Amino acid sequence: QVYGNSKRCESTNQAVQETNGEAVYYNGKLVTTYYYSTSCGKTTDVRAWGTKISEKNKYLQSVKVKGKQGYYEKDLPWYRWKAYLPVETISNLVGINTGKDIGTVTDVEVTERGAGGIALGIKITGEKGTVTVETENKIRAALGGSGYRIEQNDGTMADSRTLLPSAFFTVEKKDGQFVLNGGGFGHGIGMSQNGANEMAKCGKDYREI
């Protein structure tokens, strides 16, 4: 898959050649090695997708993306973020994204958390009713869409997108808007690409990563 829109180069050719014939196995079977952009310092497991943990997938577990010097991604833009959603904006988006008109949103509550602290379920309350959303992708979709701003770890402001950056977040209502204090970018299962890159910069080899 595209990695920074970079082209083939000698170092990537060398990596392919030197790992030729190698694969990742768990209990003697080839595994699916999921990956995503940036961690919040921890990964999660397949419960985030609504999948039951089994002997086939339990290698996908929550671990800290951390070394002796601390969390590898702590200085990266998406390691931490704050999404500022005005009440009117979140009310409109929730209605569009869930297909249920609950009116003006009065409360957003994380009802269940999974490994690593990821939100597995949320309950959104409005003046006309409530709606519940489960699994990380649906939660990110329910709270995603255009019309609000997200402050990244380095203070840079970014426009909101179709999906919330991740489902690792807490919620507070402040000054007439909902503030989501979050971390990471992507689903959080498997390998963080930016985490792997930072580990490589610290001298870790591909087996350690």
Side-chain angles (χ1 to χ4, degrees):
Q1 196 185 51
V2 173
Y3 181 78
N5 289 315
S6 55
K7 296 179 180 179
R8 278 178 56 171
C9 61
E10 188 53 42
S11 62
T12 54
N13 289 343
Q14 181 183 347
V16 170
Q17 290 162 4
E18 291 184 1
T19 57
N20 181 35
E22 294 187 28
V24 183
Y25 291 86
Y26 179 71
N27 285 341
K29 294 185 178 180
L30 198 64
V31 302
T32 301
T33 50
Y34 296 105
Y35 56 90
Y36 58 99
S37 170
T38 308
S39 86
C40 65
K42 295 178 181 178
T43 68
T44 191
D45 58 36
V46 294
R47 288 184 63 220
W49 288 334
T51 303
K52 290 183 179 181
I53 296 174
S54 69
E55 284 299 318
K56 292 181 179 179
N57 62 34
K58 70 179 184 179
Y59 62 90
L60 293 161
Q61 56 187 282
S62 179
V63 297
K64 292 180 180 179
V65 189
K66 184 179 183 181
K68 291 180 180 178
Q69 79 284 8
Y71 290 96
Y72 288 106
E73 296 153 281
K74 63 183 182 297
D75 296 323
L76 299 184
W78 287 111
Y79 177 71
R80 291 289 181 267
W81 48 265
K82 286 179 181 283
Y84 300 94
L85 289 84
V87 171
E88 184 178 355
T89 301
I90 191 173
S91 301
N92 290 335
L93 289 175
V94 168
I96 293 169
N97 295 336
T98 67
K100 186 175 181 180
D101 180 14
I102 61 171
T104 300
V105 172
T106 57
D107 188 43
V108 179
E109 176 190 2
V110 177
T111 55
E112 184 182 3
R113 291 194 183 276
I118 196 168
L120 296 182
I122 61 171
K123 178 182 178 182
I124 307 169
T125 304
E127 293 178 341
K128 296 181 182 178
T130 63
V131 61
T132 58
V133 185
E134 297 178 343
T135 69
E136 66 85 23
N137 189 264
K138 290 180 180 178
I139 289 170
R140 292 168 65 198
L143 297 174
S146 60
Y148 62 91
R149 304 278 278 167
I150 301 174
E151 182 180 0
Q152 296 172 291
N153 196 32
D154 59 0
T156 303
M157 299 300 291
D159 291 328
S160 56
R161 308 183 187 186
T162 305
L163 295 177
L164 196 67
S166 81
F168 292 91
F169 64 85
T170 58
V171 187
E172 64 176 325
K173 194 173 183 181
K174 188 177 181 181
D175 301 327
Q177 61 184 348
F178 287 91
V179 181
L180 308 183
N181 297 287
F185 196 106
H187 51 68
I189 298 171
M191 186 191 77
S192 163
Q193 290 169 298
N194 277 308
N197 194 36
E198 293 303 311
M199 290 174 77
K201 289 178 184 178
C202 292
K204 301 292 184 183
D205 67 26
Y206 73 102
R207 289 181 178 273
E208 292 175 294
I209 294 168

